[in-house]
Amino acid sequence: LLDPVGVNGLSNVWVRGDGRGVTTIKAVSTATGAAFAFGGRTSFKISDMTFDGTYYAGGVSPLEMTTSTNFDIDNVEILHMQRFAVEWDYVSDCKMRNSRVVKDTPVGNVVVYAVNVSTIRGGNERCQIIDNYFDGAGVSISGKDFTFSRNTVLNYRYGGGVQTAQDTTYSMRATVTDNTFLDSGSGTDLDGTRPPGFENWAPYSIISGNKCYNLSGSCISNGGQYSTVTGNVGVDLNQSAGPEGACFDNRYGTSDYNGNYSVYAGNICTNTAGTSGPIIYGFHDQASVTRGVLIGNQFHNVKTKPVYVVGTDYSFVGDVLSNTEAWTPGLINAGAATTVQTVTVTGARLGDVVGISFSLDTQGVTFVGVVSASDTVSYWATNTTSGGVTLGAGTVTVTAAKTINSADY
């Protein structure tokens, strides 16, 4: 049992309990200071204990580190957290790992974070939050070169599962990989936001391998310039039924905070209930976003269309579908064309770019194809030479490549 003012930690110490649930720290009454506060310290560690957060309300948290460096929070549990469980400000080279934070009743009408990394005193650098479990509250990070990896964040109602701050001085180069975000409710929070998996405003960020399930908002909402969003999976998102609900958002806040020049590659999005599910778009951007790149994403069973772009100068590489069949064009007179052939290419839609190749020497004959109906490509050969050409039995290969103008993109 601690006095409400808490304990001030020192440098070069290891505060270690006998295990989570064995050693428990709590205040005897409403706390006026953090249970353990480290200010201006270096080289310390806290591990193997449980904190009861019942009396740490308002702006007071069980753990507070300010103007400190080279510290580690390992195998710690914080139960019954109120507004904040862990607060960092002006810290560097820090870690939080293998820990668990629980808020009994998630709320969206107040600012609530399991870990709150702020810049009231100064910038934060090179910290890691890895292999933790956050139940009932997400994480807010303002810092450079932060890593947020292999965490599970669930049942949060305010902000994102993790979010980076709009801060041109202190917020950049976040690495957010292999996390699981799930069950963020079905409404909006205090700021009118539908809580996503990751809300990013830090430029030059790497966002990869994250999994998002049953969220009120999107999986990845990116407003950080020059960021890469790769290999993420979103399932049954937009539970708040937002009018522009998408798995992946490319955001525009201001000329400083936006998703310009960002790459989205190899991401997956789907409604398990098919097109009657809540996801409206696989990818959606905001006006004024420019120079985005979309490559090889799989957006299926969405209500309206896989990709809805209102920004400018996008590069797009979609699915390439194909089929082959045997064909003997025979004699094609000069200036003439063959009869039109049809072949099934499953998934082909109007607006796809069609390519036709033939396994033999075409002798100047031109092969042409077009999607004539869903799943069907029509093709023919035209002889533009000055004499007749005979083409024997060969194999036709038909491809249909998706573009932003395809009927299903």
Side-chain angles (χ1 to χ4, degrees), residues 273-296:
T275 55
S276 64
I279 302 172
I280 299 175
Y281 307 108
F283 174 91
H284 182 33
D285 69 347
Q286 292 180 309
S288 300
V289 175
T290 187
R291 302 294 178 87
V293 178
L294 298 169
I295 303 175

Side-chain angles (χ1 to χ4, degrees), residues 158-171:
Y158 179 82
V162 60
Q163 63 186 51
T164 55
Q166 292 186 352
D167 189 326
T168 55
T169 302
Y170 296 125
S171 185

Side-chain angles (χ1 to χ4, degrees), residues 228-244:
T228 60
V229 182
T230 61
N232 302 283
V233 177
V235 179
D236 295 339
L237 310 178
N238 193 39
Q239 295 291 332
S240 63
E244 297 179 349

